Amino acid sequence: MTKRAVLALADGTTFEGRAFGASGETVGEVVFNTSMYGYQEILTDPSYVGQIVTMAYPEMGNIGANAADEEAGQPHAVGMVVRSLTKTPSNWRSQETLDAYLARHGRVGIEGVDTRRLVRHLRTHGAQTGIISTENVSAAALSERARAATGMEGLDLATGVSTREPYVFTTPSPDVFLGTGDKRPEPELKYDVVAYDYGLKRSMLQYLVDVGCRVTVVPSHFTAEQVLAKKPHGVFLANGPGDPAAVKGADRTVAALLGKVPVFGICLGHQIMALALGGRTYKMKFGHRGGNQPVKDLTTGKVEITAQNHGFAVDDASLKGKAVVTHINLNDGTVEGLAVPDARAFSVQYHPEASPGPHDARYLFSRFATLMAGS
Protein backbone atom coordinates (compact mmCIF):
# COMPACT_ATOMS: atom_id res chain seq x y z
CA MET A 1 0.00 0.00 0.00
CA THR A 2 1.32 3.44 -0.95
CA LYS A 3 2.05 5.66 2.04
CA ARG A 4 1.00 9.30 2.23
CA ALA A 5 3.70 11.97 2.43
CA VAL A 6 3.66 15.72 3.00
CA LEU A 7 6.08 18.46 1.95
CA ALA A 8 5.74 21.51 4.20
CA LEU A 9 7.62 24.76 3.52
CA ALA A 10 8.71 27.30 6.09
CA ASP A 11 6.24 29.88 4.75
CA GLY A 12 3.30 27.55 5.50
CA THR A 13 2.76 26.24 1.97
CA THR A 14 2.14 22.48 1.86
CA PHE A 15 2.01 19.77 -0.80
CA GLU A 16 0.58 16.29 -0.42
CA GLY A 17 1.82 13.23 -2.29
CA ARG A 18 2.93 9.65 -1.98
CA ALA A 19 6.05 8.44 -0.20
CA PHE A 20 8.91 6.66 -1.96
CA GLY A 21 12.43 5.77 -0.89
CA ALA A 22 12.88 5.62 2.88
CA SER A 23 10.14 6.32 5.43
CA GLY A 24 10.49 9.04 8.04
CA GLU A 25 11.25 12.74 7.89
CA THR A 26 13.92 14.89 6.30
CA VAL A 27 14.66 18.61 6.68
CA GLY A 28 16.53 20.74 4.13
CA GLU A 29 16.54 23.74 1.84
CA VAL A 30 13.99 23.07 -0.91
CA VAL A 31 15.46 23.87 -4.34
CA PHE A 32 14.61 22.92 -7.92
CA ASN A 33 16.59 21.50 -10.83
CA THR A 34 15.45 21.86 -14.44
CA SER A 35 17.48 18.95 -15.90
CA MET A 36 15.52 16.40 -17.89
CA TYR A 37 17.86 13.53 -16.99
CA GLY A 38 20.78 12.62 -14.74
CA TYR A 39 18.89 12.51 -11.45
CA GLN A 40 21.40 10.07 -9.95
CA GLU A 41 24.35 12.38 -10.65
CA ILE A 42 22.30 15.21 -9.12
CA LEU A 43 21.40 13.27 -5.99
CA THR A 44 25.02 12.19 -5.40
CA ASP A 45 26.56 15.63 -6.06
CA PRO A 46 28.01 16.75 -2.68
CA SER A 47 26.89 20.31 -3.50
CA TYR A 48 23.37 19.19 -2.53
CA VAL A 49 24.26 18.50 1.11
CA GLY A 50 21.37 19.74 3.27
CA GLN A 51 19.02 20.22 0.31
CA ILE A 52 15.75 18.68 -0.86
CA VAL A 53 15.82 18.54 -4.67
CA THR A 54 12.67 19.16 -6.68
CA MET A 55 12.97 17.86 -10.24
CA ALA A 56 11.09 20.21 -12.58
CA TYR A 57 10.87 17.62 -15.37
CA PRO A 58 7.84 15.41 -14.58
CA GLU A 59 9.06 11.87 -15.38
CA MET A 60 11.71 10.47 -13.04
CA GLY A 61 13.05 6.98 -12.37
CA ASN A 62 12.75 5.69 -15.93
CA ILE A 63 16.48 4.80 -16.20
CA GLY A 64 16.73 3.30 -12.72
CA ALA A 65 20.02 3.61 -10.86
CA ASN A 66 23.52 2.16 -11.31
CA ALA A 67 26.92 2.42 -9.65
CA ALA A 68 28.69 3.99 -12.66
CA ASP A 69 26.60 7.19 -12.61
CA GLU A 70 27.34 8.15 -9.02
CA GLU A 71 29.32 11.33 -8.35
CA ALA A 72 30.00 10.13 -4.79
CA GLY A 73 29.52 6.95 -2.82
CA GLN A 74 26.07 7.94 -1.61
CA PRO A 75 23.32 10.51 -2.23
CA HIS A 76 24.10 13.85 -0.59
CA ALA A 77 20.71 15.43 -1.24
CA VAL A 78 18.59 14.80 1.87
CA GLY A 79 15.31 14.40 -0.01
CA MET A 80 13.69 14.30 -3.46
CA VAL A 81 10.42 15.70 -4.87
CA VAL A 82 9.02 14.43 -8.19
CA ARG A 83 5.79 14.62 -10.17
CA SER A 84 5.70 11.08 -11.56
CA LEU A 85 7.88 8.18 -10.43
CA THR A 86 8.45 5.30 -12.83
CA LYS A 87 8.22 1.98 -11.01
CA THR A 88 9.73 -0.10 -13.85
CA PRO A 89 13.00 1.25 -15.35
CA SER A 90 13.60 0.71 -19.06
CA ASN A 91 17.33 1.18 -19.49
CA TRP A 92 19.98 -1.47 -20.18
CA ARG A 93 22.30 0.02 -17.52
CA SER A 94 19.73 -0.08 -14.69
CA GLN A 95 20.71 -2.10 -11.61
CA GLU A 96 17.83 -1.10 -9.31
CA THR A 97 14.86 1.26 -9.20
CA LEU A 98 15.18 4.85 -8.00
CA ASP A 99 12.73 3.96 -5.21
CA ALA A 100 14.96 1.09 -4.03
CA TYR A 101 18.12 3.18 -4.41
CA LEU A 102 16.82 5.96 -2.14
CA ALA A 103 15.43 3.46 0.36
CA ARG A 104 18.80 1.67 0.55
CA HIS A 105 20.51 4.97 1.34
CA GLY A 106 17.88 6.17 3.80
CA ARG A 107 16.70 9.14 1.71
CA VAL A 108 13.05 10.22 1.85
CA GLY A 109 11.16 11.07 -1.35
CA ILE A 110 7.69 12.34 -2.25
CA GLU A 111 5.95 11.78 -5.59
CA GLY A 112 2.65 12.94 -7.04
CA VAL A 113 3.44 16.57 -6.21
CA ASP A 114 2.40 19.40 -8.54
CA THR A 115 6.04 20.29 -9.19
CA ARG A 116 5.10 23.06 -11.63
CA ARG A 117 3.26 24.84 -8.82
CA LEU A 118 6.15 24.18 -6.40
CA VAL A 119 8.80 25.50 -8.81
CA ARG A 120 6.76 28.65 -9.52
CA HIS A 121 6.37 29.16 -5.77
CA LEU A 122 10.14 28.85 -5.17
CA ARG A 123 10.89 31.23 -8.05
CA THR A 124 8.48 33.80 -6.62
CA HIS A 125 9.24 33.45 -2.92
CA GLY A 126 12.76 32.01 -3.02
CA ALA A 127 14.37 28.73 -1.95
CA GLN A 128 13.45 27.98 1.66
CA THR A 129 13.62 25.31 4.31
CA GLY A 130 11.11 22.49 4.09
CA ILE A 131 10.29 19.08 5.55
CA ILE A 132 9.21 15.89 3.82
CA SER A 133 7.39 13.62 6.25
CA THR A 134 5.76 10.22 5.92
CA GLU A 135 4.67 10.36 9.58
CA ASN A 136 1.24 11.27 10.89
CA VAL A 137 2.13 14.88 11.74
CA SER A 138 0.03 17.94 10.90
CA ALA A 139 1.21 20.13 8.03
CA ALA A 140 1.08 23.20 10.29
CA ALA A 141 3.41 21.56 12.81
CA LEU A 142 5.84 20.59 10.03
CA SER A 143 5.92 24.16 8.67
CA GLU A 144 6.61 25.48 12.16
CA ARG A 145 9.58 23.13 12.50
CA ALA A 146 10.82 24.15 9.05
CA ARG A 147 10.74 27.82 10.11
CA ALA A 148 12.87 26.98 13.14
CA ALA A 149 15.52 25.12 11.11
CA THR A 150 18.89 26.67 10.24
CA GLY A 151 19.29 28.20 6.75
CA MET A 152 22.27 27.88 4.37
CA GLU A 153 23.88 31.28 4.95
CA GLY A 154 26.90 31.13 7.23
CA LEU A 155 27.19 27.33 7.11
CA ASP A 156 30.56 25.75 6.35
CA LEU A 157 29.22 22.57 4.74
CA ALA A 158 32.29 22.08 2.54
CA THR A 159 34.58 21.16 5.43
CA GLY A 160 32.07 18.54 6.55
CA VAL A 161 32.04 16.66 3.23
CA SER A 162 35.73 17.11 2.38
CA THR A 163 38.11 14.15 2.39
CA ARG A 164 39.86 13.61 5.71
CA GLU A 165 43.15 12.48 4.18
CA PRO A 166 44.90 13.19 0.85
CA TYR A 167 44.66 10.55 -1.88
CA VAL A 168 45.82 10.16 -5.49
CA PHE A 169 43.30 9.79 -8.33
CA THR A 170 44.32 8.48 -11.78
CA THR A 171 41.10 6.96 -13.20
CA PRO A 172 39.93 8.41 -16.55
CA SER A 173 36.28 8.95 -17.41
CA PRO A 174 34.40 5.75 -18.32
CA ASP A 175 33.05 5.07 -21.78
CA VAL A 176 29.87 3.07 -21.26
CA PHE A 177 29.50 2.46 -24.99
CA LEU A 178 32.70 0.46 -25.37
CA GLY A 179 32.17 -3.22 -26.10
CA THR A 180 33.04 -5.98 -23.65
CA GLY A 181 36.80 -6.34 -23.41
CA ASP A 182 37.47 -3.05 -25.25
CA LYS A 183 39.57 -0.42 -23.55
CA ARG A 184 40.44 3.16 -24.34
CA PRO A 185 44.12 4.15 -24.46
CA GLU A 186 45.33 5.26 -21.03
CA PRO A 187 46.07 9.01 -20.93
CA GLU A 188 49.68 10.09 -20.44
CA LEU A 189 49.81 11.78 -17.04
CA LYS A 190 52.12 14.76 -17.60
CA TYR A 191 50.86 17.13 -14.91
CA ASP A 192 50.73 16.81 -11.14
CA VAL A 193 47.64 18.66 -9.88
CA VAL A 194 46.49 19.27 -6.32
CA ALA A 195 42.70 19.37 -6.07
CA TYR A 196 41.00 20.97 -3.09
CA ASP A 197 38.02 18.86 -2.05
CA TYR A 198 35.24 21.23 -1.00
CA GLY A 199 32.70 18.56 -2.00
CA LEU A 200 33.99 17.57 -5.41
CA LYS A 201 32.28 15.41 -8.02
CA ARG A 202 34.06 12.28 -9.22
CA SER A 203 33.62 13.25 -12.89
CA MET A 204 35.72 16.41 -12.39
CA LEU A 205 38.67 14.27 -11.36
CA GLN A 206 38.09 11.91 -14.28
CA TYR A 207 38.19 14.75 -16.81
CA LEU A 208 41.37 16.12 -15.26
CA VAL A 209 42.92 12.68 -15.73
CA ASP A 210 41.65 12.64 -19.34
CA VAL A 211 43.75 15.75 -20.12
CA GLY A 212 46.88 14.27 -18.54
CA CYS A 213 46.66 15.08 -14.84
CA ARG A 214 47.72 12.94 -11.91
CA VAL A 215 45.48 14.37 -9.22
CA THR A 216 46.25 14.53 -5.51
CA VAL A 217 43.02 15.33 -3.69
CA VAL A 218 43.50 17.19 -0.40
CA PRO A 219 41.19 18.30 2.45
CA SER A 220 39.63 21.75 2.41
CA HIS A 221 41.85 22.85 5.33
CA PHE A 222 45.15 21.98 3.59
CA THR A 223 47.51 24.97 3.81
CA ALA A 224 49.16 26.72 0.88
CA GLU A 225 52.56 25.65 2.24
CA GLN A 226 51.50 22.00 2.25
CA VAL A 227 50.29 22.29 -1.34
CA LEU A 228 53.39 24.07 -2.63
CA ALA A 229 55.60 21.49 -0.91
CA LYS A 230 54.17 18.93 -3.35
CA LYS A 231 55.50 21.06 -6.26
CA PRO A 232 52.31 20.77 -8.35
CA HIS A 233 51.99 22.00 -11.91
CA GLY A 234 48.58 23.42 -11.00
CA VAL A 235 45.88 23.69 -8.34
CA PHE A 236 42.22 22.84 -8.87
CA LEU A 237 39.47 24.34 -6.68
CA ALA A 238 36.45 22.02 -6.74
CA ASN A 239 32.73 22.53 -6.31
CA GLY A 240 30.95 22.06 -2.99
CA PRO A 241 27.97 22.97 -0.83
CA GLY A 242 27.00 25.89 1.37
CA ASP A 243 28.17 29.45 1.85
CA PRO A 244 31.60 30.12 0.25
CA ALA A 245 32.35 32.88 2.77
CA ALA A 246 31.96 30.36 5.60
CA VAL A 247 34.58 27.83 4.40
CA LYS A 248 37.22 28.17 7.10
CA GLY A 249 40.43 29.77 5.86
CA ALA A 250 39.83 28.87 2.20
CA ASP A 251 40.04 32.44 0.89
CA ARG A 252 43.36 33.10 2.66
CA THR A 253 44.81 29.80 1.45
CA VAL A 254 43.87 30.42 -2.18
CA ALA A 255 45.17 34.01 -1.95
CA ALA A 256 48.55 32.56 -0.93
CA LEU A 257 48.53 30.24 -3.98
CA LEU A 258 47.55 32.78 -6.64
CA GLY A 259 50.53 33.72 -8.75
CA LYS A 260 52.57 30.75 -7.57
CA VAL A 261 50.95 28.07 -9.76
CA PRO A 262 48.14 27.98 -12.34
CA VAL A 263 44.72 27.80 -10.64
CA PHE A 264 41.40 26.56 -12.04
CA GLY A 265 38.19 26.89 -10.01
CA ILE A 266 34.67 25.52 -10.56
CA CYS A 267 31.46 26.57 -8.77
CA LEU A 268 32.30 26.90 -5.05
CA GLY A 269 35.97 26.97 -6.10
CA HIS A 270 35.15 29.92 -8.37
CA GLN A 271 33.47 31.75 -5.50
CA ILE A 272 36.37 31.05 -3.13
CA MET A 273 38.82 32.40 -5.73
CA ALA A 274 36.72 35.58 -5.92
CA LEU A 275 36.88 35.93 -2.12
CA ALA A 276 40.65 35.34 -2.25
CA LEU A 277 40.92 38.29 -4.64
CA GLY A 278 39.05 40.53 -2.20
CA GLY A 279 35.60 40.13 -3.76
CA ARG A 280 32.25 39.36 -2.16
CA THR A 281 29.58 36.68 -2.61
CA TYR A 282 25.84 36.73 -1.89
CA LYS A 283 22.91 34.33 -1.50
CA MET A 284 20.70 34.14 -4.59
CA LYS A 285 16.91 34.09 -4.44
CA PHE A 286 16.57 30.58 -5.88
CA GLY A 287 19.90 29.86 -7.56
CA HIS A 288 20.76 28.13 -10.82
CA ARG A 289 20.30 24.36 -10.99
CA GLY A 290 19.92 22.49 -14.25
CA GLY A 291 21.53 21.56 -17.55
CA ASN A 292 20.15 24.37 -19.70
CA GLN A 293 21.70 27.64 -18.47
CA PRO A 294 22.90 30.00 -21.26
CA VAL A 295 26.30 31.58 -20.60
CA LYS A 296 28.10 34.11 -22.80
CA ASP A 297 31.89 34.10 -23.08
CA LEU A 298 32.68 37.82 -23.19
CA THR A 299 36.14 37.17 -24.64
CA THR A 300 34.82 35.40 -27.76
CA GLY A 301 31.13 36.31 -27.93
CA LYS A 302 30.27 32.60 -27.99
CA VAL A 303 27.20 31.34 -26.08
CA GLU A 304 27.38 27.99 -24.32
CA ILE A 305 24.56 25.96 -22.80
CA THR A 306 25.84 24.88 -19.41
CA ALA A 307 25.09 22.69 -16.39
CA GLN A 308 24.86 24.56 -13.09
CA ASN A 309 24.19 23.98 -9.42
CA HIS A 310 24.68 26.90 -7.05
CA GLY A 311 22.74 29.09 -4.65
CA PHE A 312 25.42 31.77 -4.14
CA ALA A 313 27.02 34.12 -6.68
CA VAL A 314 29.93 36.53 -7.02
CA ASP A 315 29.35 40.29 -6.75
CA ASP A 316 30.93 41.70 -9.92
CA ALA A 317 31.25 45.24 -8.53
CA SER A 318 33.46 43.93 -5.70
CA LEU A 319 36.05 42.66 -8.20
CA LYS A 320 36.63 45.78 -10.28
CA GLY A 321 40.36 46.17 -10.84
CA LYS A 322 41.04 42.77 -9.24
CA ALA A 323 39.85 40.30 -11.89
CA VAL A 324 38.34 40.21 -15.37
CA VAL A 325 34.74 39.01 -15.65
CA THR A 326 34.92 36.60 -18.60
CA HIS A 327 31.45 35.01 -18.60
CA ILE A 328 27.92 36.12 -17.70
CA ASN A 329 24.60 34.32 -17.36
CA LEU A 330 22.27 35.46 -20.11
CA ASN A 331 19.16 34.90 -17.98
CA ASP A 332 20.04 37.28 -15.15
CA GLY A 333 23.46 38.80 -15.90
CA THR A 334 25.22 37.18 -12.92
CA VAL A 335 28.96 36.46 -13.02
CA GLU A 336 29.78 33.06 -14.54
CA GLY A 337 33.53 33.31 -15.08
CA LEU A 338 36.65 35.15 -13.90
CA ALA A 339 40.25 35.42 -15.05
CA VAL A 340 43.40 36.82 -13.49
CA PRO A 341 45.92 36.53 -16.36
CA ASP A 342 48.91 37.79 -14.36
CA ALA A 343 48.29 35.07 -11.77
CA ARG A 344 47.57 32.37 -14.40
CA ALA A 345 44.19 31.76 -12.79
CA PHE A 346 40.65 31.37 -14.09
CA SER A 347 37.35 30.06 -12.80
CA VAL A 348 33.78 29.39 -13.87
CA GLN A 349 30.54 29.27 -11.91
CA TYR A 350 29.07 26.52 -14.08
CA HIS A 351 30.03 22.84 -14.38
CA PRO A 352 32.15 22.00 -17.47
CA GLU A 353 32.23 18.31 -16.50
CA ALA A 354 28.47 18.34 -17.27
CA SER A 355 27.34 15.38 -15.22
CA PRO A 356 24.54 15.66 -16.12
CA GLY A 357 24.31 18.23 -18.88
CA PRO A 358 25.63 19.46 -22.22
CA HIS A 359 29.30 19.12 -23.15
CA ASP A 360 29.79 22.65 -24.50
CA ALA A 361 32.32 23.64 -21.83
CA ARG A 362 34.46 20.52 -21.39
CA TYR A 363 37.29 22.24 -23.28
CA LEU A 364 38.05 24.16 -20.08
CA PHE A 365 39.90 21.15 -18.69
CA SER A 366 42.17 21.27 -21.75
CA ARG A 367 42.60 25.01 -21.23
CA PHE A 368 43.87 24.28 -17.72
CA ALA A 369 46.33 21.72 -19.10
CA THR A 370 47.56 24.24 -21.67
CA LEU A 371 48.05 26.81 -18.92
CA MET A 372 50.16 24.32 -16.95
CA ALA A 373 52.15 23.36 -20.05
CA GLY A 374 53.18 26.99 -20.53
CA SER A 375 54.06 27.67 -16.89
Side-chain angles (χ1 to χ4, degrees):
M1 181 178 176
T2 303
K3 195 172 185 179
R4 173 180 173 270
V6 174
L7 167 65
L9 303 182
D11 67 4
T13 306
T14 60
F15 298 81
E16 289 197 14
R18 299 176 297 277
F20 74 99
S23 295
E25 289 185 1
T26 188
V27 183
E29 183 184 45
V30 183
V31 299
F32 64 89
N33 189 300
T34 56
S35 293
M36 296 176 67
Y37 60 92
Y39 53 78
Q40 192 176 359
E41 291 96 322
I42 291 166
L43 290 169
T44 54
D45 179 349
S47 296
Y48 281 106
V49 165
Q51 293 180 323
I52 295 171
V53 184
T54 303
M55 299 303 295
Y57 188 72
E59 293 290 337
M60 289 291 138
N62 53 316
I63 62 169
N66 68 79
D69 287 346
E70 293 185 320
E71 290 292 344
Q74 64 178 10
H76 283 281
V78 297
M80 188 179 193
V81 183
V82 304
R83 176 69 183 92
S84 177
L85 178 70
T86 300
K87 304 292 187 184
T88 307
S90 56
N91 186 277
W92 61 278
R93 299 175 64 229
S94 175
Q95 296 171 335
E96 63 183 322
T97 66
L98 176 57
D99 185 9
Y101 178 77
L102 287 183
R104 180 163 61 86
H105 287 287
R107 298 296 189 270
V108 181
I110 179 171
E111 64 157 324
V113 171
D114 183 349
T115 49
R116 178 175 290 187
R117 175 185 161 224
L118 175 54
V119 169
R120 288 171 67 90
H121 187 84
L122 295 176
R123 281 182 57 89
T124 301
H125 301 284
Q128 57 188 284
T129 304
I131 297 179
I132 301 174
S133 177
T134 66
E135 308 299 323
N136 188 22
V137 180
S138 73
L142 291 173
S143 290
E144 184 62 33
R145 281 162 49 194
R147 277 191 291 276
T150 304
M152 282 286 178
E153 286 187 87
L155 289 185
D156 177 9
L157 298 175
T159 299
V161 297
S162 181
T163 181
R164 297 294 183 264
E165 298 292 336
Y167 64 92
V168 176
F169 190 95
T170 58
T171 305
S173 58
D175 190 335
V176 299
F177 298 106
L178 285 175
T180 303
D182 292 340
K183 191 176 181 181
R184 286 192 307 178
E186 292 291 327
E188 181 186 354
L189 304 183
K190 307 180 201 175
Y191 311 109
D192 288 308
V193 169
V194 170
Y196 270 96
D197 180 9
Y198 302 125
L200 57 77
K201 296 168 65 178
R202 184 177 298 156
S203 55
M204 290 182 177
L205 300 180
Q206 292 169 340
Y207 285 115
L208 285 170
V209 174
D210 286 351
V211 297
C213 301
R214 180 184 296 100
V215 188
T216 300
V217 181
V218 300
S220 62
H221 59 73
F222 228 56
T223 66
E225 291 74 20
Q226 287 175 298
V227 168
L228 294 173
K230 294 182 178 295
K231 301 189 182 328
H233 295 98
V235 171
F236 175 70
L237 310 176
N239 66 302
D243 187 342
V247 184
K248 298 172 185 174
D251 55 344
R252 296 188 298 276
T253 297
V254 174
L257 292 169
L258 289 172
K260 307 283 179 51
V261 289
V263 174
F264 175 28
I266 291 176
C267 200
L268 186 70
H270 156 83
Q271 296 161 359
I272 289 172
M273 192 178 93
L275 293 171
L277 292 164
R280 294 187 299 272
T281 56
Y282 62 92
K283 182 82 162 67
M284 303 175 75
K285 185 175 182 180
F286 50 80
H288 298 152
R289 297 176 182 87
N292 49 10
Q293 294 282 333
V295 168
K296 183 175 183 179
D297 185 337
L298 300 178
T299 63
T300 64
K302 181 181 177 182
V303 175
E304 299 169 354
I305 303 302
T306 68
Q308 303 200 11
N309 171 23
H310 60 102
F312 290 79
V314 171
D315 177 3
D316 58 341
S318 69
L319 285 170
K320 290 193 184 303
K322 302 170 184 175
V324 178
V325 174
T326 56
H327 298 74
I328 60 167
N329 189 293
L330 291 180
N331 285 336
D332 59 13
T334 51
V335 175
E336 292 281 3
L338 297 171
V340 189
D342 291 344
R344 299 170 296 164
F346 72 102
S347 63
V348 290
Q349 180 65 80
Y350 51 96
H351 284 251
E353 81 287 350
S355 293
H359 301 172
D360 297 24
R362 284 190 179 169
Y363 68 88
L364 291 173
F365 291 98
S366 296
R367 177 181 291 180
F368 183 43
T370 300
L371 197 60
M372 290 187 289
S375 62

